[in-house]
Amino acid sequence: MSSQNSSIMVTEFIIGGFEKTEKPMVVGVVIMIIYVLVVLANVVNILFIIYDQRLHKPMYLLICNLAVVDILYTSSATPTMIGVLLAGVNTISYGACLLQMFAFHLAGVMELFALSIMAFDRLVAISYPFQYHSYLTNVRTVVFTFILWLIACGFVAVMPANVIPLPHCYSKLKYTFCDYAAIMRTTCVDPNYYFSQIGIIYFFLLFFTFIFICLSYLCMIFFVKLLSKDDKRKMSSTCLSHLIVVTCYYCPSFILIVLTRIGVVLTLEERHGLLIGVMLGPSLVNPFVYCFRTKEIKYKIFKIFKKVKTPQ
């Protein structure tokens, strides 16, 4: 452990996570293409929901919220990685780095909350089909979502609160962007205590939200037996979309936990790849799943393409 006497004044960090990357231009172009697709697809989803009054319903407001979370998640770090790989800009100011860390982890927590509240929405819709619109109104949905954003900010605020008072002994990040682990490893203190603190919070959020989603689906299985065949078909379609999104987000996290528990040590490069995949993968899948699995949005897309193809 380095002595605090050797601490330095850090005004900017050097991003060194891509130094061993072969063909950085190719990797940068691939990441940039995926990022553009993520932003465009999610923006299209948001615009469809905003401009179509028929989609101003709780379920679509929650899809819109998920799209906002995905845009924040990818935009928090991807532009920095693209800048390093394609433009060779491998420095970032101290303040911008802290902001990036906060935005990245805020989006990560909100992804868990967004998927949980979407499961709750489907549970209410199946359990109380006739009272659904009176129980879960648009206003209540927006207020509930806003409260979840505030709670997420509260959890994530622990990270800058931990980092800011600590002295720094290094200005080079071993990671591909500014996340909590990357910044904490530049400080002059033993990071294990701080990692354990955040690890407890993360595991609590991860497993609490996952158990909540699982219990919601168990309740749905019980109540869906009481629905008509037509209602069962509609519910299975929307629930399948949600399950695909949940699987894409939770599986990589659980794989990493299992690998760690059984003693498989990942190299820094493998961890970078997994982290980038967790960030970009679900954010790319989500809008396409809801576009093609949700009847109203899919119909609207086909209608637009039909107008484009129809000669004037």
Side-chain angles (χ1 to χ4, degrees):
M1 182 171 66
S2 301
S3 171
Q4 292 192 11
N5 294 329
S6 62
S7 64
I8 59 174
M9 177 66 70
V10 176
T11 57
E12 65 178 19
F13 289 104
I14 300 169
I15 299 171
F18 288 114
E19 289 181 348
K20 295 182 180 179
T21 303
E22 297 179 4
K23 300 179 180 179
M25 291 294 291
V26 175
V27 176
V29 169
V30 171
I31 291 177
M32 184 175 67
I33 291 172
I34 295 174
Y35 175 61
V36 170
L37 287 174
V38 168
V39 173
L40 284 177
N42 281 291
V43 167
V44 167
N45 252 0
I46 292 171
L47 292 177
F48 279 159
I49 293 168
I50 289 175
Y51 287 106
D52 192 338
Q53 293 285 338
R54 293 169 299 178
L55 300 181
H56 290 185
K57 301 174 184 177
M59 185 181 79
Y60 296 103
L61 294 179
L62 295 177
I63 292 175
C64 189
N65 176 63
L66 182 64
V68 172
V69 172
D70 286 337
I71 291 173
L72 176 63
Y73 204 14
T74 53
S75 297
S76 62
T78 309
T80 299
M81 293 190 291
I82 293 171
V84 174
L85 291 166
L86 297 183
V89 181
N90 65 344
T91 58
I92 183 171
S93 68
Y94 180 81
C97 195
L98 289 180
L99 183 61
Q100 184 177 96
M101 176 191 70
F102 185 84
F104 173 75
H105 290 291
L106 173 62
V109 173
M110 271 309 301
E111 192 87 27
L112 300 175
F113 286 170
L115 294 175
S116 298
I117 192 175
M118 291 172 84
F120 177 72
D121 167 73
R122 292 299 84 202
L123 175 61
V124 175
I126 292 175
S127 305
Y128 305 97
F130 299 109
Q131 298 92 350
Y132 170 68
H133 292 292
S134 59
Y135 286 169
L136 206 60
T137 63
N138 288 347
V139 173
R140 287 176 182 172
T141 302
V142 171
V143 170
F144 194 26
T145 304
F146 178 71
I147 291 172
L148 287 178
W149 276 94
L150 292 180
I151 294 172
C153 286
F155 279 116
V156 178
V158 175
M159 296 181 184
N162 282 347
V163 170
I164 291 173
L166 298 178
H168 292 269
C169 286
Y170 313 98
S171 62
K172 187 173 184 178
L173 304 176
K174 295 182 179 180
Y175 293 65
T176 55
F177 59 89
C178 299
D179 71 341
Y180 179 73
I183 302 176
M184 186 56 70
R185 289 189 186 281
T186 67
T187 63
C188 303
V189 300
D190 185 347
N192 289 329
Y193 165 77
Y194 298 95
F195 287 159
S196 298
Q197 182 190 55
I198 297 301
I200 291 170
I201 294 173
Y202 175 72
F203 285 126
F204 167 76
L205 292 174
L206 184 71
F207 285 102
F208 174 80
T209 54
F210 183 72
I211 290 170
F212 178 82
I213 291 170
C214 290
L215 290 176
S216 297
Y217 272 95
L218 287 175
C219 293
M220 280 185 243
I221 291 171
F222 173 77
F223 282 107
V224 80
K225 297 176 184 178
L226 308 176
L227 300 177
S228 64
K229 288 185 178 180
D230 187 49
D231 288 335
K232 284 181 181 179
R233 188 171 62 253
K234 290 179 182 178
M235 288 299 172
S236 63
S237 178
T238 55
C239 288
L240 181 59
S241 301
H242 183 255
L243 279 174
I244 292 171
V245 172
V246 168
T247 303
C248 288
Y249 186 78
Y250 279 90
C251 273
S253 298
F254 285 132
I255 288 171
L256 182 58
I257 292 170
V258 170
L259 290 176
T260 303
R261 294 298 298 173
I262 63 176
V264 176
V265 180
L266 298 177
T267 65
L268 205 55
E269 288 74 23
E270 289 170 340
R271 284 185 175 273
H272 291 165
L274 187 59
L275 187 59
I276 293 171
V278 169
M279 179 174 59
L280 293 177
S283 300
L284 180 62
V285 171
N286 293 351
F288 289 103
V289 166
Y290 280 109
C291 275
F292 294 106
R293 294 291 312 174
T294 305
K295 179 182 173 183
E296 289 83 353
I297 296 178
K298 182 169 65 174
Y299 172 76
K300 195 167 182 65
I301 292 173
F302 288 159
K303 189 176 179 181
I304 290 172
F305 276 107
K306 189 176 180 181
K307 284 182 179 180
V308 172
K309 290 181 180 180
T310 303
Q312 298 296 326

